[in-house]
Amino acid sequence: MSEELLHAHRDLWQRKPVLRSIYQDFYRRILSACRSGRSLEIGGGSGNLKEYSQDVVTTDIVATEWLDAVADAQALPFADSSFANIVAVDVLHHIEYPVRFLDEAQRILKPGGRIVLVEPAISPVSWFFYSFWHPEPVRMNADPLANGVADKERKPFDSNQAIPTLLFGRHRKRFEARYPRLKLVRLERFGFFAYPLSGGFRSWSLLPAQLVPSLLNLEKRLAPALAPLMSFRLLAVLENAKSG
Ligand SMILES: C[S@@+](CC[C@H](N)C(=O)[O-])C[C@H]1O[C@@H](n2cnc3c(N)ncnc32)[C@H](O)[C@@H]1O
């Protein structure tokens, strides 16, 4: 089922230029926040990052012929201090226990290396949209730092869209206490009109691809005013301590 979904996403990527334009913006944000050196992508899914960056090892918990390796982000099959960056789009909120990923990320990142994530952001407007028009749940009472026994029935697309907002918002002090060597060096909220109007990985779109660049420019200018009220997306950049 998960593999079929990833194939469907890969087909849609080819057929939906508006989706590629939106993701191009995500990838540009991610790549401009990366340190120079080799990156690891977790949860690579339909596998499009390689169109924008060559120096990346692409992985997912689901095996596909287009990714470099199968890897559960909670138990990464890579050596200590082996990557300059770990990058992901829409993966943290699918990981059963995000702390296991963060522990592993700290282990395999080089000193000064970065975790760069694009995730859903829960704002008053996006909460409404994600809660009532999106198939994935938004559970604001979850503990984003929870750990426990792995659920054998869990599927790769099971999720809680609130996890990133909780981790870097309401639970940020707990996050900082648990990960003093992992500094949140950037947290940007963005994605106001273009992303929700594009329909993401759904087959529909209310936005012609030609309008995406000007709409994204407008969003950039309006970001300071709109971000607290209606951001659908966040970019989080975490930096591993340099030494000691
Ligand atoms: C919403 S998709 C995002 C895919 C891709 N990054 C994109 O933006 O199109 C979430 C991906 O996370 C993967 N995933 C879920 N749990 C994972 C885990 N524990 N480790 C690695 N990947 C995981 C899923 O298989 C799926 O491909």
Side-chain angles (χ1 to χ4, degrees):
M1 172 59 194
S2 301
E3 206 184 329
E4 280 166 28
L5 194 56
L6 292 183
H7 275 272
H9 281 188
R10 201 166 164 86
D11 286 350
L12 195 68
W13 177 267
Q14 297 304 334
R15 286 186 282 111
K16 196 171 170 183
V18 67
L19 181 67
R20 296 200 297 275
S21 297
I22 301 280
Y23 268 67
Q24 190 171 1
D25 178 58
F26 294 171
Y27 291 142
R28 187 192 53 73
R29 287 171 188 270
I30 287 177
L31 295 172
S32 67
C34 281
R35 293 292 191 205
S36 63
R38 198 167 63 133
S39 296
L40 171 71
E41 184 186 29
I42 56 153
S46 47
N48 308 302
L49 181 56
K50 281 225 167 139
E51 290 177 25
Y52 301 90
S53 170
Q54 299 309 307
D55 207 3
V56 58
V57 176
T58 56
T59 67
D60 197 284
I61 198 168
V62 177
T64 65
E65 65 267 25
W66 56 79
L67 296 173
D68 296 321
V70 177
D72 180 348
Q74 300 168 107
L76 290 167
F78 299 103
D80 295 0
S81 306
S82 50
F83 286 94
N85 307 285
I86 301 174
V87 302
V89 178
D90 282 339
V91 182
L92 187 72
H93 69 280
H94 287 277
I95 296 174
E96 183 173 19
Y97 295 115
V99 289
R100 294 190 184 171
F101 158 62
L102 293 169
D103 291 345
E104 279 292 80
Q106 266 194 309
R107 180 182 68 76
I108 71 159
L109 273 180
K110 292 179 189 293
R114 288 183 162 187
I115 304 171
V116 186
L117 307 170
V118 166
E119 290 286 329
I122 307 302
S123 59
V125 172
S126 76
W127 175 85
F128 194 76
F129 178 93
Y130 284 139
S131 299
F132 297 106
W133 281 287
H134 197 280
E136 294 176 13
V138 180
R139 298 195 191 98
M140 295 304 288
N141 58 356
D143 178 2
L145 292 161
N147 204 346
V149 179
D151 174 2
K152 292 198 172 53
E153 303 300 312
R154 190 180 167 89
K155 299 183 184 64
F157 277 83
D158 288 351
S159 70
N160 175 3
Q161 296 197 90
I163 291 295
T165 300
L166 292 171
L167 190 62
F168 305 125
R170 198 186 289 173
H171 293 264
R172 180 154 166 192
K173 288 239 169 332
R174 290 178 62 222
F175 164 79
E176 288 170 350
R178 175 157 181 163
Y179 294 102
R181 298 179 57 76
L182 220 41
K183 292 271 179 274
L184 182 64
V185 293
R186 199 183 302 171
L187 182 63
E188 285 170 14
R189 291 168 206 276
F190 65 100
F192 311 124
F193 313 111
Y195 170 69
L197 288 173
S198 77
F201 273 97
R202 318 276 191 85
S203 53
W204 57 266
S205 171
L206 302 177
L207 181 66
Q210 311 86 278
L211 290 188
V212 173
S214 18
L215 200 50
L216 291 180
N217 260 334
L218 180 68
E219 289 191 10
K220 225 165 274 167
R221 276 189 277 133
L222 297 178
L226 295 185
L229 179 69
M230 58 179 297
S231 42
F232 280 73
R233 287 287 175 185
L234 63 79
L235 171 85
V237 183
L238 304 167
E239 189 168 294
N240 201 17
K242 288 206 168 64
S243 61

